[in-house]
């Protein structure tokens, strides 16, 4: 038996019309002399064709394989061609072709272009070039071989396979069309569109007909009137008497009168008399009656009266001009105007707490603006007011609204909401309930888009939300001034490899002409909830980062994530060293001395891709134990929303800007807290699903390199050693040892390949593509220098293609490239991080439930105490607390269902025991060790052993 791999163009996903012309063989000499013998060569060739097409016929007849061939096409097209794989024991197609014997693995690897996709009955054929290891029998001993019979058999089989494949193509096309046509959503949409298309003209005509009305029966008294009043708000036709009774109380309804050929809108104070003529009557603002008379102190003796002031009430339907409300006492005959608190209790917020306010804003109007400005941050206040004015103009009412009055009323309303939630309902949106008292990680970053113009008007007022989310400018300035006394201010951007980071600055001398606040810098937890924010008046500097670093340190956070933590950490070490020497104030010394002792640096995952390879090895967050699946990029998700507020805050006053951004942060944190149950479940599922795939990848790499998992810690340690050496070499490259030059060139090659992949995947425009190409150009210059030096020292013939391919002549079975080791270590570390994420997420689920239960218990305790007071105010607080209890109960129910925790049956304790973070982090109380010599100009020295 002789086995020869033959490459055949098989009619598969893209059918070939002629199979005979697509056959190639690998060794004509071997075929001619060793196999065929005395037979003619074309007889053997036709025999092979018949065998192959017959095998593929059986494959196509297999319904399961046909289904895989059809359904897997889209998935295969989305993926790149996988690495060429060979056959170790031959390939099984269908159930008819048995494995080839005697075919060496190496020879198959060189001649195979299959994408192996496992299936129950064989391997999935991806492309047109397929190698079949054909077992050719020794037929030299046949003497009565019928040549014509072979020719006829081959022709019949070829014709049948072409018919079969044409039928498959037709069936696949029909299935695709049926699949599209049978989409339920598509059918529903078409059905609705067809219904509208059919009835659109009829509906339009019916609406036109409804505009013309005159006489009719009254909906209340059922009296026929020649001229009825149609209310478009309560959808009733009323006579003049019923309209007067109804709409002196329902003053915000839209009423229309018509004579059949024209129509007009009635203002709130306009009614019809008995002669069907328009008359005017004073209509007061509807208000709740106070319970106590301010004069005689009698209970429930007040009645509604009409005031003597004109008041403009703003609702979602626009402006309504009414008369002020007044109250009269039946006991003492006192008549007095409604006060600001009376209007507020009735749902109307004035611009001023004094009684001279003539603008009242409906609570619904303010509530809608509160949600709209945070759901759509780029919307302007003027546009929202303009929409209300358009509604007023359409209904022939006065279309003027004072914007300043609206700003004052909405600010007070939103602050009232905040006070209600924090003081009464025990809500704290600045604390993440999943992180609890000990957050695992915090990411710090600056946003230069939330700036404010220096020319913006500022009346010098104090923010209502001062200190809630934003640190006060006085507090930040005091911290910065104390740091400046001992660490000089330097200028310039920081470099890491070929990347320049605007954030990597000890200080910034930029003044940003025309701007007051140049942006804001904030820190968030690993769930994206904002912890603290500070204003920037120059740029993103290490002093501001250290201030927020100090804040999260006091919270017990373990990892400090930053985009340029490799440049910032030496500065933090310097602060910690000075604090131990006692150069700062006693309070600051107590905190800063543990700045690098109780926290660990974490280089953000995606920003780390722009750092040099050695920096990634030493600082990348996914290489840190106990980091779980933290990305260190959570702030970017928050800024994606916060940056949209720039268009509305850049011309606000200082106090209003802080208030507006604080409300935006609270709103976003509340949204994330409400979605926390779903978020944690998704994280747990994602981490669980990634582990098997990563373990499979790791096993493949270990098998290919003939390694064991026990060898991985040593490989990681050696890789870190090479990285330290690469970062510590600051002299001329020509003075470096050859091994260091080789490792540096390997690192540059890995970085270039990584940047190329990023360009292919994410750079969809010139704006994203140009920075990546600039980095590639800089890396090519550095690689050219190293190539020249290595060629001179070792007499090698290194070319640029070696760097592009990542293949170097010094690689041996005992020597592996940096990129290979880095790929192996990254895969290993990702498995560990995903396993930690499973435990960490379960721990966060438990913490979330515990805090909800604790808050619920505190509210129930408060309700018990308030009931003993028995005052009206305490009863109002009980109502608000009960409303919050209902929301917490709903969240607990959702968490119980999602986390599979039966709280009522007492299984929470068991869940807590199961989810204890056994691999969790422990704060290191040992000595920090000596800090490396700190050079302000270089800013490169760091004690790696301190945190590795």
């Amino acid at each position: 038996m002789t086995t020869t791999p033959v490459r055949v163009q098989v009619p598969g996903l893209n059918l070939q019309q002629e199979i005979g012309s697509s056959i190639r063989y690998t060794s004509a000499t071997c075929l001619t002399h060793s196999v065929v013998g005395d037979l003619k060569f074309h007889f053997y060739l036709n025999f092979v064709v018949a065998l192959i097409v017959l095998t593929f016929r059986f494959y196509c007849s297999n319904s399961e394989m046909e289904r895989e061939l059809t359904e897997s096409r889209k998935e295969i097209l989305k993926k790149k061609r996988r690495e060429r794989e060979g056959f170790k024991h031959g390939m099984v197609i269908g159930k008819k072709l048995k494995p080839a014997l005697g075919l060496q693995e190496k020879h198959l690897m060189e001649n195979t272009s299959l994408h192996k996709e496992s299936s129950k009955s064989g391997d999935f054929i991806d492309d047109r070039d397929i190698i079949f290891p054909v077992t050719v029998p020794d037929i030299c001993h046949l003497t009565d071989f019928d040549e014509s019979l072979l020719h006829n058999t081959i022709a019949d089989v070829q014709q049948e396979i072409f018919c079969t494949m044409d039928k498959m193509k037709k069936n696949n096309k029909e299935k695709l069309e049926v699949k599209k046509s049978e989409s339920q959503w598509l059918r529903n949409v078409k059905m609705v569109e067809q219904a509208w298309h059919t009835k659109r003209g009829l509906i339009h005509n019916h609406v036109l007909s409804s505009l013309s009305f005159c006489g009719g029966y009254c909906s209340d008294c059922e009296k026929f009137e020649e001229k009825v009043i149609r209310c478009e708000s309560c959808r009733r036709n009323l006579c003049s008497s019923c309209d007067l009774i109804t709409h002196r109380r329902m003053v915000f309804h839209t009423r229309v009168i018509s004579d059949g050929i024209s129509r007009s809108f009635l203002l709130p104070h306009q009614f019809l008399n008995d002669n069907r003529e328009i008359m005017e009557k004073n209509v007061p603002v509807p208000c709740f009656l106070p319970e106590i008379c301010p004069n005689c102190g009698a209970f429930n003796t007040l009645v509604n009266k009409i005031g003597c002031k004109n008041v403009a009430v703003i609702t979602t339907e626009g402006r309504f001009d009414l008369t002020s409300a007044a109250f009269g006492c039946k006991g003492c005959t006192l008549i007095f105007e409604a006060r600001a608190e009376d209007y507020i209790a009735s749902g109307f917020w004035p611009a001023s707490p004094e009684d001279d306010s003539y603008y009242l804003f409906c609570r619904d109007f303010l509530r809608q603006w509160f949600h709209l400005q945070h759901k759509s941050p780029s919307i302007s206040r003027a546009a929202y007011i303009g929409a209300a004015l358009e509604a007023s103009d359409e209904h022939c009412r006065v279309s003027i609204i004072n914007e300043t009055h609206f700003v004052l009323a909405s600010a007070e309303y939103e602050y009232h909401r905040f006070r209600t939630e924090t003081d009464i309902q025990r809500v704290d949106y600045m604390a993440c309930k999943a992180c609890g008292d000990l957050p695992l990680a915090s990411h710090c970053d600056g946003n230069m888009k939330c700036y404010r113009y220096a020319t913006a008007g500022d009346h010098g007022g104090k923010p209502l939300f001062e200190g809630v989310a934003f640190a006060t400018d006085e507090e930040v300035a005091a911290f910065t001034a104390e740091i400046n006394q001992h660490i000089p201010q330097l200028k310039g951007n920081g470099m890491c490899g070929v990347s320049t980071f605007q954030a990597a600055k000890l200080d910034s001398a930029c003044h940003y002409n025309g701007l007051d606040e140049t942006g804001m810098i904030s820190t968030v937890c690993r769930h994206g909830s904002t912890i603290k924010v500070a204003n920037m008046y120059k740029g993103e500097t290490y002093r501001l980062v250290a201030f927020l670093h100090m804040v999260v340190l006091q919270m017990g956070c373990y990892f400090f994530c930053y985009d340029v933590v490799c440049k910032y950490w030496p500065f933090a070490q310097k602060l910690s060293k000075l604090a131990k020497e006692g150069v700062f104030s006693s309070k600051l010394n107590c905190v800063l001395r543990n700045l690098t002792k109780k926290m660990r640096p974490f280089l953000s995952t995606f920003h780390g891709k722009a750092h040099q390879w050695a920096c990634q090895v030493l600082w990348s967050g996914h290489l840190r134990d106990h980091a779980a699946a933290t990305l260190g990029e959570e702030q970017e998700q928050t800024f994606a929303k916060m940056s949209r507020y720039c268009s509305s805050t850049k011309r606000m006053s200082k106090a209003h800007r802080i208030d507006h951004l604080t409300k935006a942060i609270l709103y976003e944190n509340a949204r994330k807290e409400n979605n926390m149950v779903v978020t944690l479940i998704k994280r747990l599922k994602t981490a669980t699903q990634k582990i098997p795939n990563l373990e499979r990848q790791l096993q493949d790499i270990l098998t290919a390199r003939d390694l064991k998992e026990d060898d991985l810690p040593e490989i990681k340690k050696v890789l870190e050693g090479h990285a330290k050496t690469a970062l510590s070499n600051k002299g001329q490259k020509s003075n470096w040892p050859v091994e260091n030059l080789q490792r540096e060139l390997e690192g540059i090659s890995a970085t270039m390949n990584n940047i190329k992949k990023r360009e292919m995947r994410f750079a969809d425009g010139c704006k994203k593509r140009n920075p990546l190409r600039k980095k590639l150009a800089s890396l090519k210059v550095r690689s050219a220098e190293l190539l020249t030096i290595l060629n001179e020292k070792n007499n090698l013939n290194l070319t640029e293609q070696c760097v592009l391919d990542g293949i170097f002549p010094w690689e041996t079975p005992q020597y592996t490239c940096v990129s290979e080791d880095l790929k192996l270590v990254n895969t290993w570390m990702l498995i560990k991080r995903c396993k930690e994420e499973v435990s960490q997420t379960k721990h966060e689920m438990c913490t979330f439930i515990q805090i909800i239960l604790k808050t619920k218990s505190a509210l129930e305790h408060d309700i018990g105490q308030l009931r003993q007071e028995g005052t009206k105010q305490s009863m109002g607080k009980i109502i608000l607390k009960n409303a919050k209890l209902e929301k917490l109960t709903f969240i607990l129910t959702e968490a119980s269902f999602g986390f599979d925790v039966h709280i009522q049956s007492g299984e929470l304790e068991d869940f807590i025991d199961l989810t204890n973070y056994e691999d969790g982090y422990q704060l290191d109380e040992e000595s920090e060790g000596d800090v490396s010599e700190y050079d302000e100009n270089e800013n490169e020295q760091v004690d790696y052993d301190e945190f590795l």
Side-chain angles (χ1 to χ4, degrees):
M1 304 286 285
T2 303
T3 303
T4 304
V6 179
R7 185 177 296 274
V8 181
Q9 292 281 358
V10 178
L13 302 178
N14 292 323
L15 298 178
Q16 301 291 334
Q17 295 300 321
E18 296 187 11
I19 190 172
S21 62
S22 305
I23 301 175
R24 290 179 292 173
Y25 52 90
T26 57
S27 178
T29 305
C30 177
L31 295 176
T32 304
H33 298 288
S34 302
V35 181
V36 181
D38 296 333
L39 292 178
K40 294 180 179 180
F41 177 75
H42 71 276
F43 285 157
Y44 165 75
L45 200 59
N46 289 334
F47 178 82
V48 173
V49 173
L51 183 60
I52 292 172
V53 296
L54 187 61
T55 302
F56 197 75
R57 174 190 174 191
F58 286 124
Y59 171 79
C60 294
S61 64
N62 190 316
S63 60
E64 183 177 357
M65 291 298 100
E66 180 181 349
R67 180 179 57 81
E68 291 187 5
L69 188 67
T70 304
E71 295 180 356
S72 302
R73 180 58 176 166
K74 289 185 179 180
E75 181 181 356
I76 296 300
L77 289 177
K78 291 180 181 178
K79 299 179 181 178
K80 295 181 179 180
R81 289 181 173 274
R82 298 179 182 176
E83 298 178 358
R84 296 175 178 265
E85 297 179 358
F87 303 92
K88 295 183 179 179
H89 305 290
M91 186 184 70
V92 181
I93 301 181
K95 301 180 180 178
K96 302 300 179 182
L97 182 61
K98 295 184 178 180
L101 302 175
L103 196 59
Q104 296 181 357
E105 180 180 354
K106 179 178 179 181
H107 186 69
L108 287 169
M109 288 291 290
E110 295 173 352
N111 295 277
T112 302
S113 61
L114 281 173
H115 297 330
K116 293 183 66 180
E117 294 287 345
S118 299
S119 62
K120 296 182 180 179
S121 59
D123 291 334
F124 178 72
I125 300 177
D126 175 49
D127 212 338
R128 296 176 286 284
D129 292 323
I130 302 172
I131 290 181
F132 293 89
V134 181
T135 303
V136 182
D138 189 359
I139 57 176
C140 297
H141 66 279
L142 299 177
T143 57
D144 54 347
F145 188 79
D146 191 346
E147 180 178 350
S148 60
L149 179 61
L150 180 60
H151 277 294
N152 294 335
T153 303
I154 292 174
D156 294 341
V157 173
Q158 288 179 344
Q159 183 65 28
E160 186 171 351
I161 194 171
F162 286 138
C163 294
T164 303
M165 299 309 297
D166 290 340
K167 185 177 180 180
M168 285 180 60
K169 287 176 60 179
K170 185 178 180 180
N171 291 340
N172 292 341
K173 186 176 181 180
E174 292 177 355
K175 289 180 181 179
L176 183 61
E177 292 177 355
V178 170
K179 185 177 180 181
K180 290 183 178 180
S181 62
E182 289 182 354
S183 172
Q184 184 66 32
W185 177 85
L186 188 61
R187 288 204 306 269
N188 293 341
V189 171
K190 286 185 177 181
M191 188 183 302
V192 174
E193 289 179 349
Q194 183 63 29
W196 275 110
H197 180 73
T198 304
K199 295 187 176 182
R200 187 174 291 117
L202 179 64
I203 293 174
H204 179 68
N205 294 332
H206 186 73
V207 172
L208 293 178
S209 300
S210 65
L211 296 178
S212 176
F213 65 93
C214 185
Y217 287 95
C218 176
S219 300
D220 284 358
C221 65
E222 299 183 356
K223 177 183 176 182
F224 182 82
E225 288 283 338
E226 295 180 357
K227 195 173 185 180
V228 296
I229 302 170
R230 173 169 292 183
C231 179
E232 295 182 350
S233 299
C234 54
R235 275 62 175 181
R236 293 187 300 170
N237 292 332
L238 300 173
C239 64
S240 58
S241 301
C242 295
D243 175 64
L244 180 61
I245 296 173
T246 302
H247 289 110
R248 288 197 71 176
R249 293 179 287 113
M250 301 178 181
V251 296
F252 302 117
H253 284 197
T254 301
R255 297 173 297 140
V256 185
I257 58 174
S258 174
D259 57 3
I261 58 175
S262 64
R263 65 198 302 257
S264 59
F265 291 94
L266 292 177
L267 299 179
H269 60 277
Q270 292 180 340
F271 300 92
L272 294 183
N273 57 22
D274 296 336
N275 297 326
R276 311 306 190 264
E277 296 176 349
I278 296 177
M279 64 177 181
E280 294 185 358
K281 286 184 175 293
N282 291 330
V283 177
V285 179
C287 285
F288 295 121
L289 293 172
E291 293 186 351
I292 303 175
C293 175
N295 185 31
C296 63
F299 284 88
N300 298 326
T301 59
L302 297 178
V303 293
N304 285 312
K305 298 292 182 178
I306 299 176
C308 57
K309 297 190 301 184
N310 294 326
V311 178
V313 180
I314 313 301
T315 71
T316 55
E317 294 294 328
R319 170 172 169 164
F320 293 85
D321 290 317
L322 304 174
T323 306
S324 61
F327 308 108
C329 179
K330 294 180 181 180
C332 62
T333 66
L334 174 69
I335 298 177
F336 59 95
E337 290 279 347
R339 299 163 297 180
E341 49 267 33
D342 297 324
Y343 286 125
I344 292 174
S346 301
F348 301 101
W349 285 77
S352 170
E354 302 297 333
D355 297 336
D356 57 352
S357 177
Y358 55 91
Y359 265 100
L360 296 176
F361 294 90
C362 182
R363 183 166 49 207
D364 293 338
F365 185 71
L366 298 176
R367 184 192 296 115
Q368 181 172 287
W369 167 243
F370 172 73
H371 291 289
L372 185 62
Q373 65 181 327
H374 299 306
K375 293 293 185 182
S376 180
S378 58
I379 190 174
S380 67
R381 183 172 55 242
Y384 180 70
I385 295 176
L389 294 179
E390 291 296 333
S392 297
D393 189 59
E394 286 184 4
H395 296 94
C396 302
R397 296 192 297 267
V398 178
S399 56
I400 298 175
I401 298 177
N402 191 302
E403 186 173 347
T404 303
H405 286 212
F406 173 70
V407 171
L408 296 174
S410 62
E412 294 299 330
Y413 166 75
E414 291 167 7
Y415 183 68
H416 163 74
R417 288 177 60 103
F418 171 73
R419 286 284 305 273
T420 300
E421 291 177 341
T422 55
D423 297 348
I424 300 175
Q425 296 182 333
R426 290 182 173 269
V427 173
D428 185 8
Y429 289 130
M430 297 304 296
C432 178
K433 290 181 172 57
C435 291
D437 297 332
L438 293 174
L440 176 63
S442 173
H443 178 220
C444 179
D445 198 7
N447 186 351
M448 305 298 293
K449 293 184 179 180
C450 292
Y451 55 84
R452 190 181 75 89
Y453 288 125
T455 56
D458 192 354
H459 58 280
K462 290 191 64 176
L464 294 174
F465 294 84
E466 185 176 17
V468 176
F470 277 78
T472 61
D473 292 342
E474 294 77 10
E475 185 180 2
V476 177
F479 175 84
T480 304
E482 195 163 356
I483 299 299
N484 291 340
Q485 292 178 3
H486 305 280
I487 298 181
Q489 302 181 51
L490 299 179
K491 305 175 183 178
N493 295 333
M495 295 282 295
C496 185
V498 297
S499 300
T500 302
F501 294 92
Q502 299 253 351
K505 298 185 290 290
L506 287 173
D507 195 29
S508 174
C510 299
H511 295 288
Y512 297 95
N513 293 334
L515 299 182
D516 188 1
E517 290 92 338
T518 58
M520 67 180 190
I521 183 171
S522 63
T523 181
V524 299
C525 71
R526 69 189 298 264
H527 304 99
S529 295
T530 303
I531 299 174
K532 203 67 177 177
V533 190
N535 281 318
M536 292 192 298
Y537 289 91
K538 290 184 179 179
E540 185 178 344
T541 66
Y542 291 161
R543 285 154 174 78
L544 293 175
V545 176
F547 176 80
L548 296 177
H549 189 176
M550 179 182 65
V551 172
V552 296
L553 172 66
Q554 294 173 316
M555 296 177 59
C557 192
Y558 187 68
F559 286 105
F560 184 74
C561 312
Y562 192 43
D563 302 340
V564 285
V565 74
C566 57
K567 299 297 179 184
Y568 163 73
W569 205 251
F571 180 80
Q573 287 181 322
K574 180 66 173 179
L575 289 180
S576 182
K577 180 180 178 181
L578 293 175
K580 289 180 179 179
E581 297 174 358
V583 300
F584 303 120
S585 63
S586 58
K587 182 179 179 180
L588 206 57
N589 286 330
C590 183
V591 178
L592 293 182
R593 65 187 303 123
N594 296 320
L595 203 59
T596 58
K597 177 181 178 181
K598 291 188 175 182
M599 293 192 71
R600 296 294 176 262
F602 186 114
L603 179 61
S604 302
T605 302
F606 298 120
H607 279 81
K609 302 297 183 182
H611 290 243
Q612 55 184 320
W613 71 270
C615 184
Q616 296 181 40
V617 171
L618 294 174
W619 299 91
S620 287
H622 72 276
L623 300 181
R624 298 284 154 270
D625 289 337
H626 316 307
T630 305
L631 290 178
E633 300 284 359
E634 292 76 15
Q635 188 68 267
E636 306 298 337
Q637 301 173 10
T638 304
F639 283 163
K641 176 74 176 292
M642 296 301 299
S643 298
R644 297 167 61 191
Y645 285 92
C646 172
S647 59
S648 57
T649 60
K650 59 187 179 183
R651 297 193 181 277
M652 287 184 177
S653 65
K654 186 185 293 289
H656 285 169
R657 173 181 173 273
I658 291 178
D659 286 342
H660 192 71
L661 292 178
T662 300
K663 289 179 289 188
I665 291 170
L666 293 172
Y667 196 89
E668 187 68 9
N669 285 358
R671 184 189 65 83
K672 292 175 180 176
E673 181 179 306
N674 294 333
N675 296 335
M676 188 61 68
V677 173
V678 178
T679 300
L680 294 179
I681 293 174
K682 286 183 178 179
R683 290 192 176 196
L684 183 60
K685 289 183 178 180
T686 301
T688 305
Q689 292 172 359
K690 282 185 176 181
I691 293 175
N693 296 331
L694 291 172
E695 288 179 342
R696 196 179 303 112
Q697 294 179 18
L698 178 63
Q699 192 60 41
D700 292 342
I701 298 175
L702 292 175
T703 302
R705 293 183 55 176
D706 195 18
L707 295 172
K708 297 181 180 179
E709 196 167 349
D710 297 337
D711 301 330
L712 295 177
E714 183 63 25
I715 294 176
K716 182 174 181 288
K717 185 177 180 180
V718 173
L719 191 62
E720 290 174 350
H722 291 311
K724 291 179 185 179
T725 304
L727 291 178
S728 61
N729 289 327
K730 294 184 179 181
Q732 295 293 329
K733 293 184 177 63
S734 58
N735 300 329
W736 290 7
V738 174
E739 182 181 0
N740 292 355
L741 292 171
Q742 293 174 352
R743 291 295 184 182
E744 179 69 11
L745 189 60
E746 293 169 2
I748 291 175
S749 174
T751 304
M752 291 177 65
N753 290 329
N754 184 28
I755 292 176
K756 287 182 179 179
K757 291 179 181 178
R758 291 176 60 198
E759 181 182 0
M760 293 176 63
R761 292 183 62 187
F762 305 113
D764 54 354
C766 296
K767 186 176 181 180
K768 295 182 180 179
R769 193 181 300 117
N770 288 339
L772 296 177
R773 291 185 175 178
K774 287 181 180 179
K775 293 179 182 179
L776 280 175
S778 302
L779 287 171
K780 286 182 180 179
V781 173
R782 293 181 61 188
S783 64
E785 297 176 3
L786 293 174
L787 289 175
T788 303
I789 297 173
L790 283 171
N791 287 334
E792 292 176 355
K793 284 192 174 185
N794 290 358
N795 295 324
L796 298 174
N797 188 22
L798 294 173
T799 62
E800 185 179 354
Q801 191 63 35
C802 297
V803 180
L804 298 177
D805 297 338
I807 301 175
F808 302 97
W810 54 76
E811 294 184 26
T812 63
Q814 292 77 26
Y815 182 96
T816 56
C817 185
V818 166
S819 59
E820 296 297 326
D821 285 344
L822 189 58
K823 180 181 178 181
L824 176 61
V825 171
N826 280 338
T827 307
W828 176 46
M829 288 288 102
L830 286 176
I831 295 174
K832 296 184 66 176
R833 299 294 84 80
C834 287
K835 291 181 178 179
E836 292 171 359
E837 180 67 19
V838 172
S839 300
Q840 178 66 22
T841 304
K842 291 181 179 179
H843 174 75
E844 290 170 351
M845 289 177 175
C846 175
T847 304
F848 181 78
I849 292 178
Q850 284 179 316
I851 294 179
I852 294 292
L853 288 174
K854 184 179 178 181
T855 306
K856 186 177 178 182
S857 177
L859 288 173
E860 292 172 348
H861 177 72
D862 293 344
I863 291 174
Q865 290 185 337
L866 289 171
R867 283 177 177 171
Q868 297 177 1
E869 298 180 5
T871 62
K872 295 288 293 184
Q873 185 178 1
S874 61
M875 292 298 105
K877 291 181 179 180
I878 289 176
I879 292 174
L880 293 173
K881 289 180 182 292
N882 281 326
K884 186 62 180 178
L885 277 176
E886 292 179 1
K887 292 183 179 179
L888 293 179
T889 303
F890 175 79
I891 293 175
L892 281 176
T893 304
E894 184 183 15
S896 301
F897 178 79
F899 302 160
D900 196 20
V901 183
H902 304 286
I903 300 175
Q904 299 299 333
S905 60
E907 295 186 6
L908 178 62
E909 292 77 9
D910 298 335
F911 181 77
I912 295 174
D913 293 338
L914 290 174
T915 57
N916 275 335
Y917 192 25
E918 298 176 357
D919 299 327
Y921 54 91
Q922 298 292 333
L923 294 181
D924 186 7
E925 298 294 342
E926 298 179 358
S927 175
E928 181 183 7
D930 296 334
V931 178
S932 300
E933 181 180 356
Y934 183 81
D935 188 349
E936 294 288 354
N937 295 320
E938 296 295 337
N939 191 23
E940 291 284 349
Q941 297 296 331
V942 64
D943 185 6
Y944 299 108
D945 297 330
E946 177 192 347
F947 58 86
L948 287 178

